[in-house]
Amino acid sequence: MQLNLLESPKWKDYELLDTGDGLKLERYGPYRFVRPEAQAIWKRAAPESQWRDVHAVFQPTSEESGGHWAARKSMDDKWVMAYEGIKFWAMTTPGRHLGVFPEVAAHWDWYSGLVEKAGRPVKVLNLFGYTGLASLMAARAGAQVTHLDASKKSVTWARENQILSGLEQKPIRWIVDDALAFVEREGRRGVKYDGIILDPPKFGRGPKGEIWEVYESLPDLLKACSAVLSDSPLFVAMTMYAVRASGVHLHQSMAELMKRYKGETDAGELVTRDASAGRYLSHAVYARWQAG
Ligand SMILES: C[S@@+](CC[C@H](N)C(=O)[O-])C[C@H]1O[C@@H](n2cnc3c(N)ncnc32)[C@H](O)[C@@H]1O
């Protein structure tokens, strides 16, 4: 098994400027931010003046969650960013994220290409869809998309991104539900998908308080996904931000999920490189499968 490092080199509106001392310095559109980054176990390379010249700094209360943004310079509450012609709103949020996980763009390019080349109608299910960028990419490439997230706020944000990108006419079904409950229900209804995108958090809750704990819930979700795959699936992409996760294990789960189909599984890590010294920062592990 070979593990890959996937980079997303097409970004213009995002840049990882520097990393080190447990922190990362990033540019999101016109603004620069400092956020905690436990993996940055080396010294910073950029000058101190660059680290001070930022718009906001996230001050965590614990390593995993909680904290607040401390403003350093004036900035808009929300602003527009773009990736390859898809536009979206960015803003600082209490969860320390800004409305986009830039390193996932490597997957957007991959499945957009697969959908474009498929030469047939493709139905895609995007679970844990957050602000909808994966759904917009797949829809623009020609897929019929079912986008799901447990948070009504995220789904509203995703729909605003659809309007901002001028993709209102694209067939996207927006759903606020618990991922596992929904996929099990789709299975019972006999609904099938040709592509599945799943980017589960370590911990989360469904709208009715359903508990998502990735190590306990993922096996059930993958079993449910298996039941909704069409006879000729095009792709499955699974990404995990949980620290304890391993690309080796994700590769095994994916290979098992897809064993009745002919295709290829690959796995590895989603990385960005800081502009100051070209050092890799690993964000997540992934496994993905494509027909062939
Ligand atoms: C890590 S983010 C996904 C990142 C996104 N896919 C991207 O690439 O930008 C996790 C998302 O999962 C959602 N979520 C958490 N628990 C859930 C559950 N039980 N069912 C469905 N969605 C859930 C959260 O609301 C959040 O939007």
Side-chain angles (χ1 to χ4, degrees), residues 177-178 180-191 208:
D177 204 344
D178 175 64
L180 178 59
F182 178 78
V183 181
E184 285 179 339
R185 216 174 316 118
E186 290 287 80
R188 287 194 292 275
R189 287 191 282 240
V191 181
K208 295 192 188 118

Side-chain angles (χ1 to χ4, degrees), residues 99-101 104 108 126-131 133-134 148-151 154 177-180 199-201 203-207 210-212 241:
V100 57
F101 290 75
V104 184
W108 302 339
N126 181 16
L127 300 166
F128 310 98
Y130 192 46
T131 55
L133 303 181
L148 178 137
D149 198 283
S151 151
S154 288
D177 204 344
D178 175 64
L180 178 59
D199 190 350
F203 183 80
R205 272 186 194 278
E210 299 96 330
I211 290 176
W212 171 266
Y241 281 77

Side-chain angles (χ1 to χ4, degrees), residues 85-156:
I86 296 281
K87 291 186 186 162
F88 56 95
W89 291 107
M91 67 180 95
T92 55
T93 69
R96 79 175 64 180
H97 301 297
L98 293 110
V100 57
F101 290 75
E103 60 281 357
V104 184
H107 287 334
W108 302 339
D109 295 342
W110 179 72
Y111 40 67
S112 297
L114 292 175
V115 171
E116 272 164 19
K117 278 189 253 127
R120 60 172 165 116
V122 177
K123 280 179 71 184
V124 170
L125 175 61
N126 181 16
L127 300 166
F128 310 98
Y130 192 46
T131 55
L133 303 181
S135 296
L136 298 183
M137 294 288 167
R140 184 178 62 177
Q144 236 187 71
V145 179
T146 299
H147 169 106
L148 178 137
D149 198 283
S151 151
K152 191 161 185 270
K153 216 165 145 185
S154 288
V155 172
T156 304

